[in-house]
Amino acid sequence: MQRKVTKAVFPVAGMGTRFLPATKSVPKEIMTLVDRPLIQYAIDEARAAGITEFIFVTSRGKGALEDYFDRAPELEASLRAKGKTELLEVLDATNMDSGAIAYVRQNQALGLGHAVWCARHLIGDEPFAVLLPDDVIAAETPCLRQMVEAYEQTGGNMIAAMEVSSEMASSYGIMDVPPAISRVVPMRGMVEKPAPGTQPSNLAAIGRYILTPDVLRHLGDIDPGAGGEIQLTDAIAREIVERQNVYGYRFEGQRYDCGSKAGFLQATVAFGLARPDLGAELAQFLSDMMAQRQAAE
Ligand code: UTP
């Protein structure tokens, strides 16, 4: 029987240059969708998938992330004194048990693959999940949970997959897959940011992975790839060649690329509209704005 996936790695050491100047002092992962930081969505998704150990790969300037998951005794005491129990419950979701969360430093932003490799001693010799908090996925069954269920049936490595347009393919890790339309697709290869027109399919990897320790070992001895970075895609591609045990998983749900300004704005609107306390007012505002724009055109 294969081991359960209980550890998750959150690579959050990137510089977030697409959100400058905000990210000069605020980590991208702390930026809020409505009223919760991006990282909270990722943590909740991991918990829903049975993850109990959380490993953050951080870098300089990410201190706000560590504080976010710590207790806030003065704030909690003040809310308690005022009888604000609802807000205390809201805060409760941000508190991590002592020892449940670990931080490891990536001293230089050498790429996503390198960031995952930095967590190797904490991961050890077991399968693990990787979640990129800037991919936010709205789904009835949380995406990682869908993947854990598929992994429990199939084993191997499982990578979240999504169709993208041909124009967008050169911005993603692209899977080489047979044409079948099943939810779990065996991969024949994978290439990071293929030159326009050379992509083997339009199936892109997005920021959820379940990986075996073998992929971690490959990360230790591959050369820098696209963009001069140590690419997770290249380690996965090697695993496909060596063991043919990598699958794309077409998840059910809507993914928002919150690492880009357009995606972040779209997610803000979508999550705002989905909120019972805000949705109606926001919908009215958006429809008034559209009407005004059309009248002005
Ligand atoms: P991105 O490609 O989005 O890079 O990284 P970034 O630095 O966060 O953002 P931009 O492109 O400069 O705006 C994808 C994920 O990989 C992590 C990032 O933190 C993000 O979660 N990452 C990337 C690292 O942890 N280390 C790296 O060296 C590179």
Side-chain angles (χ1 to χ4, degrees):
M1 223 188 76
Q2 61 213 355
R3 281 188 76 156
K4 262 178 85 79
V5 184
T6 58
K7 292 182 179 175
V9 178
F10 301 82
V12 292
M15 287 190 271
T17 54
R18 283 171 288 171
F19 278 99
L20 282 170
T23 43
K24 186 179 170 198
S25 65
V26 180
K28 178 170 66 172
E29 302 73 23
I30 286 289
M31 296 197 325
T32 51
L33 273 187
V34 190
D35 51 12
R36 297 159 71 209
L38 292 182
I39 192 66
Q40 183 75 56
Y41 291 90
I43 289 283
D44 289 349
E45 186 180 326
R47 277 180 169 148
I51 299 296
T52 51
E53 290 179 60
F54 305 83
I55 303 164
F56 280 56
V57 183
T58 66
S59 57
R60 286 176 293 282
K62 302 275 179 169
L65 267 173
E66 298 194 23
D67 290 342
Y68 178 77
F69 288 110
D70 211 335
R71 296 208 84 96
E74 292 88 5
L75 180 58
E76 286 169 27
S78 152
L79 293 175
R80 207 168 294 115
K82 293 179 186 145
K84 300 201 167 171
T85 41
E86 266 175 45
L87 288 179
L88 277 168
E89 277 165 29
V90 168
L91 274 192
D92 217 34
T94 69
N95 294 334
M96 285 290 197
D97 293 339
S98 291
I101 189 160
Y103 299 91
V104 54
R105 199 84 160 201
Q106 185 190 28
N107 289 339
Q108 248 186 308
L110 295 179
L112 172 60
H114 182 260
V116 172
W117 179 79
C118 289
R120 64 198 178 283
H121 297 305
L122 294 171
I123 296 167
D125 197 28
E126 57 184 286
F128 60 100
V130 177
L131 295 95
L132 306 190
D134 40 13
D135 275 333
V136 176
I137 301 167
E140 214 160 284
T141 303
C143 179
L144 190 66
R145 172 130 184 215
Q146 296 175 37
M147 292 172 69
V148 164
E149 282 166 10
Y151 166 82
E152 282 168 357
Q153 310 252 315
T154 316
N157 296 269
M158 199 65 68
I159 298 162
M162 186 183 96
E163 295 283 344
V164 295
S165 67
S166 298
E167 296 73 54
M168 290 305 291
S170 55
S171 305
Y172 287 89
I174 298 290
M175 304 177 178
D176 182 358
V177 288
I181 308 292
S182 56
R183 195 161 283 291
V184 179
V185 238
M187 283 165 56
R188 300 184 292 212
M190 193 171 172
V191 46
E192 185 63 30
K193 300 190 175 63
T198 66
Q199 67 271 18
S201 77
N202 280 15
L203 205 57
I206 67 128
R208 301 289 183 276
Y209 307 77
I210 295 174
L211 299 174
T212 57
D214 294 309
V215 172
L216 204 52
R217 278 189 278 278
H218 299 320
L219 281 172
D221 61 20
I222 55 171
D223 294 324
E229 297 188 337
I230 302 285
Q231 296 287 356
L232 188 54
T233 296
D234 294 343
I236 292 167
R238 181 179 287 192
E239 183 62 7
I240 297 172
V241 171
E242 288 193 5
R243 290 189 189 78
Q244 297 89 44
N245 65 350
V246 183
Y247 303 89
Y249 181 82
R250 294 174 207 259
F251 59 95
E252 252 176 90
Q254 173 70 44
R255 171 260 189 175
Y256 297 94
D257 175 10
C258 291
S260 78
K261 290 188 256 264
F264 191 89
L265 287 171
Q266 287 159 14
T268 301
V269 172
F271 279 70
L273 286 173
R275 283 273 294 252
D277 55 337
L278 300 168
E281 193 182 336
L282 180 59
Q284 184 61 53
F285 171 76
L286 290 172
S287 112
D288 292 349
M289 286 278 285
M290 292 312 295
Q292 272 178 31
R293 260 178 80 113
Q294 273 156 9
E297 273 168 13

